[in-house]
Every structure is written in C-alpha cells, then in structure tokens.
Amino acid sequence: MQTTFTDAQLADPGTARANEILRACVHCGFCTATCPTYQVLGDELDSPRGRIYLIKDMLENDREPDARTVKHIDRCLSCLACMTTCPSGVHYMHLVDHARAYIEKRYKRPFSDRALRWLLARIIPYPGRFRLALLGAKVARPLARFLPDPRLRAMLEMAPKRIPPVSRNDDPQSFAPQTAPKMRVALMTGCAQKALNTDINDATIRLLRRLGCEVVVAKGAGCCGALTHHMGREAESHASAAANIRAWMAEKAGKGLDAIVINTSGCGTTVKDYGHMFRTEALAEEAAQVSALACDISELLAKLMPEAPAAPRNQARDEIAGINIAPERPTTGAIRVAYHAACSLQHGQKIKDHPKALLRAAGFEVVEPADSHLCCGSAGTYNLLQPEISGQLKARKLRTLEAKAPDIIAAGNIGCMMQIGSGTAVPVVHTVELLDWATGGPKPRALVND
C-alpha cells in the first residue's frame, strides 16, 4: 500500500511503525474471510482491510477522528485472526493499537461512553475493586432487564453465580518445588482472574511445584495493562506494564528467573509485546528481557511434561455437572474435552498445538469445534462495550462447541471461560486444571456437583 506521510509525521515512532505496517498491506482481502465482525456484519469497514483504509486516511491527513471511523475501530475485537491469515505479514495488532491511542487522545466520546470506559478502567484491573463490583452486580442482576443501555445489562449479567474467596496463594511469596528442582519461575497472577476464578492460579502452582519448579509471585506485579491498552489509554497501560517489568526484573536480579509464566493468554500476548511497547522508553532493555522470558503455561508444560501421565479414567459421567451426552455417541471411558482455542493464544502467540497435545497425552479425548479460528466474543472488555456483536459470536461459538457433545470445555483464557460458561450447561475449565487433576491434584471445582 502506498503511503504519503511527511518526514515530520514519521518522526513520531508510532506513526513510523504504522507506516511500515500500512506499506506491507497489498489489499488482497484474505483477512475478510476470517474476521469475526465481517462475518457477522458483512460491512467492508468492519473488516481488517476496511479498518486499515480508515486508519490510513486518519493518520496520513492528521485529522480529528470522526464518529464513523471510531465506530468501526471500536467494533474490532483485536482477535488477530487476520494476522494468522495475512500472506503479507501485516502486523495489524500494532496498527489498531496505535489507532486506538490516537483516537483516545483526539476524539471526545459521548458522556455515557466516556463514563463507562472510565469505570471499566478503574475497576477491572484492580482485583479488590472488581470483586466488590461483582458482588454489587450479583445483587442487582434481577434489575438488569429494566436498564435501557444494553452495555449496563451486560455488566450486571457477567457476574458469576459464585464469587470465590480470596486465595492467599496470590499474595507475594515463593513456593518451593516438591520434586528435584528444575527451574525458578515467576507466575503472573493477573487481576480480573483473581476475582473471577482463583482455582486457575492454585492449580498452576500445584502442577508446577509437582514438576520441579520454584514458583514465585513477585511483589509489585499486577495487571498486565492489556485492558487499558486496548482502550487506547496508553498512560495507564504503560504504568501497569512498567510495574510488572520492575517487579520481575528485581526477581531476576535476585535469585534469577528462568521464565515468567502466564496462564491467561490475553495477558500473555500483551506481556510478550512489552519490548515493542517500551522500545523508545527508558525501560526498553528491561522490557525486552521480560518479553523474552514470558511464556504461556502450555509452552512451559510442553517442556516439563513430554510424557504426561494418564488422566482420570472411568469417571462416572453423571458425577460431572451439567453434561449432555448425545445418546448415539459411543462411551469409550475417556473424558471428552472440547478445546476452545483462545484468539490471543492461537493468533496472538501462535500457540495452537501445545494445549491439545498435553491433554491428549494425559489421556483425555480432545475434540475441536468447527471454525475454531473464530472469536467467542469475549475479547477483554468487548463483551461489555459491544454486547450485541459479542452475543452473536458467543451463540455461534456455543453451537459449534456443543455440537461435539463434550463432557468438558477447556480453554486457556479467563475471558473466554466466562463468556462461554455463561451460555452452556457444559462445565468450562482451564486446561491447567485438567492437567493438575491428571497428575494428582483435586478434581476441578466446576466438575463437582454442588
């Protein structure tokens, strides 16, 4: 794609990066075939190619963002399926992130939009505040149908039926390995996940200790910054990221770190991009080191569990809450797991095989839904800011998952788990919970009848 940025414009690192990305695009349109919003809406401007044109026009002309451009950029999920499809290697993620930051600085949204986005940025990245908000939403949920704004209804309806108590495992500390020491790793405990589902971090710690890892929860580490980053709120997202970089580098400088383990793939994609986010700042070198150390839990387990032990077999399926097995399906004894590939894992981090291979090696029967490349509609705060589109994508994902008649649905991202779990009776668990169970840990709570 030909661009006409001036030298003065290209002096800005963000614009210079946008120019590189735009010039890589050859207008082929392959991205439209895998873009969830284009599949749902059928509007060229709601496809990556259409958004690229809008972004190019806005940036090249240094113009104030208009409502039309903002609408179509806001509708982007950042699922990054387009990056998997693109034959030219267009780095759409960096382009749309820059466009969002540009819009946030130069576009005045309607008051209701500004208030909602401010509220989300002030609550979700902070586990204590988020937990209180979830409790309030749970109490107010019966009133959801009376609210005129569908986004407010979505906020109330997202509250889980059960809000877990605080897990002290998320406090800064170190957990000694239970077998011969192999490595020392920092676990990113996250933010929203600590309020929504404490079992994931608990299972991760148990499993890694069993495999010979010293697991460290670093003092000062917290939200990765992804939620505010994708809203274009650069100052807030960079502050969160900088706190993590300093916390993890302090551990590395102390007793050393072999890896930074992340069990929420949406966070992992952002942490792995810290090197780019801070490329022009004082923390550039440290940020690059953190990005190099960051890995998804499945990446580390693929090294530590080359031959996973057999999963619990002969489990009475009526002990698993909410399953619905098709009567014509043969019973093999293995628990059937429908694996949902989170977009941030398969498209953002290019990790597709590790979770499935680990589950199969542990003895589970693993099945995949049709169109597994398409987003479930969660996408951070997307299901709260764009509930109508998110709802259509959720319904589509649920149909394809349930068509496989699974006993369990597994995923590697808390956002996907909440989105899918809110619409199905099939238990939804994190991949690491199943692997922990298979190696001697407790049965995942979601599989235990209340």
Side-chain angles (χ1 to χ4, degrees), residues 311-317 323 325-337 360 363-367 404-407:
R313 287 180 179 270
N314 302 317
Q315 298 287 336
R317 284 188 166 83
I323 66 171
I325 302 175
E328 69 275 13
R329 201 191 94 198
T331 301
T332 62
I335 297 171
R336 175 176 281 202
V337 177
R360 289 192 182 106
F364 294 100
E365 178 191 359
V366 180
V367 294
K404 294 294 182 179
D407 299 327

Side-chain angles (χ1 to χ4, degrees), residues 74 94 106 141 143 216 223 265 277:
D74 282 352
H94 288 166
R106 302 181 62 165
R141 187 159 44 193
L143 304 176
V216 180
C223 175
S265 61
M277 289 170 61

Side-chain angles (χ1 to χ4, degrees), residues 35 71-72 93 96 119 125 128 189 208 242 258 291 296 329 335 342 364 374 380:
C35 175
K71 177 181 74 172
H72 294 294
M93 181 177 81
V96 76
L119 191 66
T189 55
L208 289 178
D258 297 300
S291 292
D296 183 73
R329 201 191 94 198
I335 297 171
F364 294 100
L374 290 179

Side-chain angles (χ1 to χ4, degrees), residues 79-81 83-84 342-350 373-374:
C79 72
L80 309 181
M83 288 178 57
T84 295
C343 296
S344 46
L345 195 58
Q346 64 169 323
H347 302 309
Q349 300 183 51
K350 307 302 181 190
H373 63 281
L374 290 179

Side-chain angles (χ1 to χ4, degrees), residues 158-179:
M158 79 161 288
K161 294 179 180 179
R162 176 185 175 274
I163 300 171
V166 174
S167 172
R168 296 275 67 98
N169 285 342
D170 291 330
D171 297 340
Q173 60 193 293
S174 177
F175 299 88
Q178 293 179 332
T179 56

Side-chain angles (χ1 to χ4, degrees), residues 43 45-46 51 54 68-76:
D43 187 335
L45 294 179
D46 285 313
R51 294 185 180 108
L54 290 173
R68 173 172 169 264
T69 299
V70 172
K71 177 181 74 172
H72 294 294
I73 299 301
D74 282 352
R75 284 179 174 176
C76 175

